[in-house]
């Protein structure tokens, strides 16, 4: 078995971590990672011992690498192509046509929303992306709900395999980032939101919810991640007069420590499959407030291990934050995080991720 994974290499969020974590479960002879950019992604993959090849583009519209990828696939005699993300999926159409290689994808986001706020080009790329998604031989859905979403796009359900994300669950919490380094105290209520700064992630909903909370009880929000709307979000925080409570931390490699220093983890996305960030929060025994997207109901039990609120509803989100603040005052919030950890660690291991992925690979190769 020899698998080529293709992704742009510019990712900084959950898809990057998912790919690296997955490839670590396979032997060096079984998987190769192909990227379109040198950078932190490539560097991290090599540090993990993953064979990494970069096919650099002059721009995202540079198609000259396609012939190089075709030659690479034929020379190395790969059994399967596994793409991640809309650009890699578009390239997969050409690669399959030229080489005949079997092709599988992990859909990390809703393809109809990948190019939100990208104007006319966004509409064109959305159409191409939707076309590409329907051309694969197999699909990984990271939740049952997301499998249903793919089927609504007209994809044969027999080609879609639900494979839950997995992480290495620690027996002990990570070392918390000292709150003093962030200008915070032990008395402050601290929330962590790990998400790229993109419209689909719903940061605005969180800001609006925070504004509904009285200043003396208002939590502090740690924003981990970077993205195309950073300046827009910073301006919104300023306009809402939340500067003293919203902290932009940028990309961080110590997410576990940030979660360990937090009282609550947040997700406010308009669309997700199965957010890896929530598993990372569970790993640090931190309860969650999340919008009702993707497979979150398969992880979070509303009122027991966190709160699930409707998408785009700032008022209900604020009620959930109020509830979390109240639980902390009563001393029961940490118990919710402990219950979440026990549930997640039993069901979302790296072992199940590797076994389920290998099973589909073997099935497709032997067809």
């Amino acid at each position: 078995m020899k698998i080529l994974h293709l992704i742009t290499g510019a990712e900084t969020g959950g898809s990057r971590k998912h790919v690296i974590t997955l490839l670590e479960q396979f032997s060096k002879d079984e998987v190769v990672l192909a990227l379109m950019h040198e950078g932190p992604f490539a560097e991290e993959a090599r540090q993990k011992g993953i064979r990494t090849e970069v096919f650099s583009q002059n721009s995202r519209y540079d198609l000259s690498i396609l012939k190089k990828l075709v030659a690479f696939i034929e020379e190395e005699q790969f059994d399967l192509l596994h793409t991640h993300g809309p650009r890699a999926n578009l390239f997969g159409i050409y690669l399959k046509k030229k080489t005949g290689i079997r092709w599988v994808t992990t859909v990390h986001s809703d393809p109809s929303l990948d190019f939100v706020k990208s104007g006319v080009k966004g509409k064109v790329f959305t159409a191409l992306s939707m076309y590409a998604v329907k051309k694969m031989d197999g699909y990984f859905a990271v939740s049952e709900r997301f499998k249903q979403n793919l089927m609504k796009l007209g994809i044969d359900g027999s080609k879609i395999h639900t494979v839950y994300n997995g992480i290495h669950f620690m027996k002990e919490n990570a070392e918390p980032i000292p709150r003093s380094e962030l200008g915070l105290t032990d008395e402050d209520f601290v929330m962590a939101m790990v998400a790229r700064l993109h419209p689909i992630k719903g940061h605005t909903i969180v800001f609006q919810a925070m504004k509904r909370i009285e200043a003396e009880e208002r939590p502090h929000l740690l924003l981990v991640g970077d993205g195309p709307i950073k300046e827009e979000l910073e301006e919104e925080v300023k306009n809402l007069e939340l500067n003293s409570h919203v902290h932009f931390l940028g990309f961080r490699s110590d997410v576990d420590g940030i979660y360990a220093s937090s009282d609550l983890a947040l997700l406010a996305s308009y669309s997700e499959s199965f957010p890896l960030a929530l598993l990372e929060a569970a790993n640090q025994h931190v309860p969650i407030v999340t919008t009702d997207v993707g497979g979150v109901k398969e992880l979070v039990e509303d009122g027991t291990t966190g709160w699930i609120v409707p998408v785009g509803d700032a008022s209900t989100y604020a009620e959930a934050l109020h509830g979390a603040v109240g639980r902390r005052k009563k001393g029961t919030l940490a118990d919710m995080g402990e219950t979440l950890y026990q549930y997640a660690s039993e069901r979302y291991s790296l072992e199940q991720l590797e076994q389920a992925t290998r099973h589909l690979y073997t099935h497709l190769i032997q067809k």
Side-chain angles (χ1 to χ4, degrees), residues 54-237:
V54 176
F55 297 82
S56 297
Q57 289 182 288
N58 295 322
S59 74
R60 66 175 58 194
Y61 309 111
D62 178 11
L63 303 181
S64 64
I65 67 169
L66 289 174
K67 290 183 178 180
K68 297 176 182 177
L69 283 166
V70 167
F72 185 62
I73 289 171
E74 293 177 341
E75 179 182 347
E76 295 275 343
Q77 297 184 326
F78 289 102
D79 298 302
L80 193 71
L81 172 67
H82 189 157
T83 57
H84 304 264
R87 199 189 319 176
N89 289 343
L90 289 175
F91 285 7
I93 298 172
Y94 181 88
L95 299 176
K96 179 175 176 61
K97 182 178 180 180
K98 291 295 183 180
T99 67
I101 192 170
R102 294 209 171 264
W103 177 22
V104 66
T105 189
T106 299
V107 184
H108 295 276
S109 58
D110 186 335
S112 68
L113 298 175
D114 280 331
F115 300 100
V116 169
K117 289 191 175 183
S118 297
V120 175
K121 287 182 179 179
K123 293 180 180 180
V124 173
F125 286 132
T126 295
L128 290 171
S129 181
M130 297 291 284
Y131 174 78
V133 164
K134 297 178 181 180
K135 296 297 180 181
M136 289 98 170
D137 298 299
Y139 304 80
F140 289 110
V142 293
S143 72
E144 279 297 321
R145 182 172 180 174
F146 211 68
K147 177 177 179 177
Q148 296 303 315
N149 290 345
L150 289 173
M151 290 173 66
K152 289 177 182 178
L153 295 177
I155 296 169
D156 183 352
S158 66
K159 293 183 177 182
I160 308 169
H161 300 258
T162 301
V163 179
Y164 294 106
N165 270 330
I167 63 171
H168 171 65
F169 281 91
M170 305 174 180
K171 292 185 178 180
E172 302 291 337
N173 279 21
E175 184 70 25
I177 300 299
R179 288 190 170 189
S180 58
E181 291 184 6
L182 305 171
L184 303 173
T185 69
D186 290 340
E187 287 70 38
D188 290 321
F189 189 100
V190 178
M191 310 182 300
M193 184 173 179
V194 179
R196 61 193 169 103
L197 306 184
H198 184 281
I200 203 170
K201 296 299 183 179
H203 294 84
T204 293
I205 297 300
V206 177
F207 300 159
Q208 293 173 355
M210 291 176 65
K211 188 66 176 178
R212 285 172 161 79
I213 300 174
E214 295 296 328
E216 58 270 17
E217 287 199 344
R218 186 171 293 150
H220 285 264
L221 175 62
L222 307 179
L223 291 182
V224 180
D226 207 343
I229 63 167
K230 179 180 180 181
E231 292 183 2
E232 179 181 326
L233 293 178
E234 289 175 335
E235 184 65 22
E236 184 169 3
V237 167

Side-chain angles (χ1 to χ4, degrees), residues 6 26 29 35 61 72 80 82 90 95 117 139 174 183 185 234 237 264 288 309 319 321-322 340 348 356:
L6 178 63
F26 289 78
D29 296 330
L35 305 177
Y61 309 111
F72 185 62
L80 193 71
H82 189 157
L90 289 175
L95 299 176
K117 289 191 175 183
Y139 304 80
T185 69
E234 289 175 335
V237 167
L264 192 67
I288 294 162
V309 302
E319 292 175 9
L321 298 185
H322 270 297
L340 176 63
Y348 301 102

Side-chain angles (χ1 to χ4, degrees), residues 261-277:
S261 189
S262 302
D263 300 294
L264 192 67
L266 305 186
L267 186 96
S269 298
Y270 288 91
S271 175
E272 290 281 357
S273 48
F274 191 93
L276 198 59

